[in-house]
Amino acid sequence: MVDVAEKEMDNPTFRSDTVLSDVHLHCLSKRHLMVRLNAVGQPVFLSYFKLLWSTEDLASGKHVREIPTGREHQCRSGGELCDKDKSNVKKEGELNSEGVEALLDDDGDLEVVRRPRSASDLEAEDVLRDIVCPVILMKGKEDAFEDEEQECNYSDVVKIEHTMATPLEDVGKQVWRAAFLLADYILFNRDTFRGCSVLELGGGTGISSIIMGTVAKRVYCTDVGDDLLAMCEQNIALNKHLMEPGGGEVRVKELDWLKDEFCSDPEAPYSWSEEEIADLLDHCSVIMAADVFYDDDLTDALFRTLYRITHNLRNSCTVYLALEKRLNFTLRHMDVTCEAYSHFRNTLNDLENLQDEKIKYTVEPIKLDFCQFLVYERIEQL
């Protein structure tokens, strides 16, 4: 956990009470534009995240291109060149063994002749980390958006407004890797979710709900806080072009895990109508959540909410949970631990072992061997 204190943008200082996601620092988005300040004075940035297809592919249900990562990509795309490189190394070794005189520079230092970079090296670099620094949209630079839009094909990007560093209570305003992992799973299993009614808990910036909205009939994207929900609603509006071909819709609603009821106050901006609550309970068959297990009290509250909602559903339901195991060194254990994940696992086991006459929960891990359809860094802790 790190914090960027608001001093000078080009000379940030870090504190321990604020969380910074590195998704926006290690993605293939060309740049990040600060578009505004939110209601609490935090800079809001607009980022483009690459989709490996077009909306035409999505509408037709074609299999989309996939992006292998890391070592797998290098093996697939540069196998022949790797073999050539090995042979080149062997040839160099043979020359040295024959006693060919080494080249020296003017100072008498050894001058190493390096192999020219192959196409596979350059191609692999395109998939790996590309450090992207924020570009602040200053007064008089409004045309930067036009330049960005002209360079981008709307059919293959997800546009997301987000913040970059927030207090712990506002982490939903940032973009997190597990949301991309969940989005990949949705895209890989489009037929499973086609036409479904879906509830997302802790939707944050809304990226998972947006991807689900490309195949599902209706998605209720929920979280708490008017400022966060307004950002989520803006992101859904920015990505309507992705959902329109399939006819899906995403509705942004408030759902506070610390309360026992849906917010149905008509004066509240993101409240539920009676019809929407009935629609959810009558038709919801999928519940999902991504990267919401970072605080033990909130984890407990989420599982209570999950139990309450599933207990009242008319039909059986599948819940998909995606998260990143974050390792931290603690003085209490004098070791690297993952306490938030351990608490999540214990609570999940309690739910599975729950003795209830009406409902039974079964837990099944999902293998992460499905394709990657969004450009991000899929790490082993996901």
Side-chain angles (χ1 to χ4, degrees):
M1 293 184 183
V2 294
D3 169 30
V4 180
E6 288 187 21
K7 285 194 175 181
E8 296 182 9
M9 185 63 72
D10 56 356
N11 187 27
T13 57
F14 294 89
R15 297 175 182 168
S16 60
D17 58 350
T18 297
V19 183
L20 173 67
S21 168
D22 67 352
V23 165
H24 53 274
L25 297 177
H26 303 291
C27 67
L28 298 182
S29 176
K30 285 190 174 180
R31 53 188 172 180
H32 305 264
L33 299 173
M34 191 184 85
V35 292
R36 60 185 171 86
L37 294 177
N38 62 19
V40 294
Q42 298 163 337
V44 175
F45 293 82
L46 177 66
S47 293
Y48 294 152
F49 297 100
K50 181 74 173 176
L51 266 172
L52 302 178
W53 64 28
S54 66
T55 48
E56 290 78 11
D57 296 328
L58 182 61
S60 63
K62 293 179 182 177
H63 270 291
V64 299
R65 292 167 289 156
E66 65 198 64
I67 178 168
T69 56
R71 200 172 294 172
E72 178 188 359
H73 179 274
Q74 297 179 43
C75 291
R76 282 191 192 177
S77 61
E80 292 183 6
L81 290 169
C82 287
D83 293 337
K84 291 178 182 178
D85 297 339
K86 289 178 181 177
S87 64
N88 289 339
V89 172
K90 184 178 180 182
K91 289 177 181 177
E92 289 172 7
E94 290 172 353
L95 289 173
N96 289 336
S97 65
E98 292 172 4
V100 176
E101 184 177 357
L103 297 176
L104 303 178
D105 62 16
D106 294 338
D107 298 327
D109 297 322
L110 179 65
E111 191 174 72
V112 179
V113 180
R114 299 192 180 276
R115 168 179 61 83
R117 301 182 72 187
S118 66
S120 62
D121 296 332
L122 298 174
E123 194 175 89
E125 270 193 9
D126 289 340
V127 183
L128 301 178
R129 291 186 172 191
D130 181 15
I131 305 300
V132 182
C133 297
V135 175
I136 308 305
L137 185 65
M138 307 298 265
K139 186 176 180 180
K141 297 288 186 180
E142 288 83 356
D143 58 339
F145 277 115
E146 297 178 5
D147 297 339
E148 191 85 9
E149 290 175 358
Q150 289 174 3
E151 295 172 5
C152 241
N153 180 1
Y154 282 150
S155 66
D156 61 5
V157 295
V158 182
K159 296 191 290 185
I160 296 292
E161 286 193 1
H162 62 92
T163 56
M164 286 198 178
T166 64
L168 189 61
E169 61 268 20
D170 282 340
V171 292
K173 296 177 182 177
Q174 299 188 53
V175 182
W176 300 93
R177 285 194 192 93
F180 287 105
L181 183 73
L182 181 57
D184 275 344
Y185 185 78
I186 294 167
L187 296 175
F188 188 69
N189 295 278
R190 295 191 299 285
D191 292 340
T192 300
F193 302 109
R194 202 174 301 280
C196 289
S197 182
V198 181
L199 169 68
E200 181 173 15
L201 301 174
T205 59
I207 189 166
S208 297
S209 284
I210 289 167
I211 296 300
M212 180 63 85
T214 63
V215 289
K217 177 182 179 182
R218 181 172 295 121
V219 182
Y220 291 101
C221 182
T222 68
D223 217 310
V224 291
D226 290 350
D227 195 47
L228 171 59
L229 294 172
M231 177 188 288
C232 182
E233 194 169 54
Q234 169 69 1
N235 286 333
I236 290 163
L238 287 172
N239 293 281
K240 278 188 175 179
H241 62 285
L242 296 175
M243 295 173 279
E244 285 175 349
E249 67 167 334
V250 180
R251 300 185 185 182
V252 179
K253 297 294 173 183
E254 178 182 326
L255 184 56
D256 191 339
W257 306 338
L258 300 177
K259 297 179 181 178
D260 293 332
E261 301 293 337
F262 291 96
C263 175
S264 56
D265 180 2
E267 300 296 322
Y270 298 98
S271 63
W272 297 72
S273 67
E274 292 184 4
E275 292 77 11
E276 287 170 330
I277 296 174
D279 175 63
L280 176 73
L281 298 180
D282 288 345
H283 301 107
C284 180
S285 59
V286 174
I287 298 177
M288 61 182 186
D291 240 329
V292 295
F293 305 104
Y294 54 88
D295 177 89
D296 291 355
D297 292 336
L298 288 178
T299 295
D300 293 339
L302 181 141
F303 275 101
R304 286 195 298 269
T305 300
L306 195 60
Y307 173 79
R308 175 173 57 85
I309 292 175
T310 54
H311 207 265
N312 290 303
L313 292 179
R314 181 181 296 273
N315 303 305
S316 61
C317 177
T318 304
V319 183
Y320 296 90
L321 305 175
L323 68 156
E324 180 178 339
K325 296 163 66 175
R326 293 182 173 84
L327 304 175
N328 297 287
F329 180 84
T330 63
L331 293 175
R332 182 173 61 172
H333 296 94
M334 291 303 292
D335 197 2
V336 175
T337 63
C338 194
E339 292 186 305
Y341 177 75
S342 298
H343 185 78
F344 157 75
R345 289 296 311 182
N346 291 335
T347 311
L348 188 64
N349 291 337
D350 291 341
L351 185 68
E352 187 176 24
N353 296 327
L354 183 68
Q355 300 295 324
D356 191 305
E357 295 181 358
K358 181 179 178 182
I359 192 169
K360 177 176 176 56
Y361 299 88
T362 58
V363 177
E364 179 183 348
I366 295 175
K367 292 183 180 180
L368 302 187
D369 55 357
F370 48 89
C371 299
Q372 183 172 337
F373 298 114
L374 280 153
V375 178
Y376 67 101
E377 186 182 28
R378 188 187 283 189
I379 60 175
E380 62 182 11
Q381 287 79 21
L382 286 173

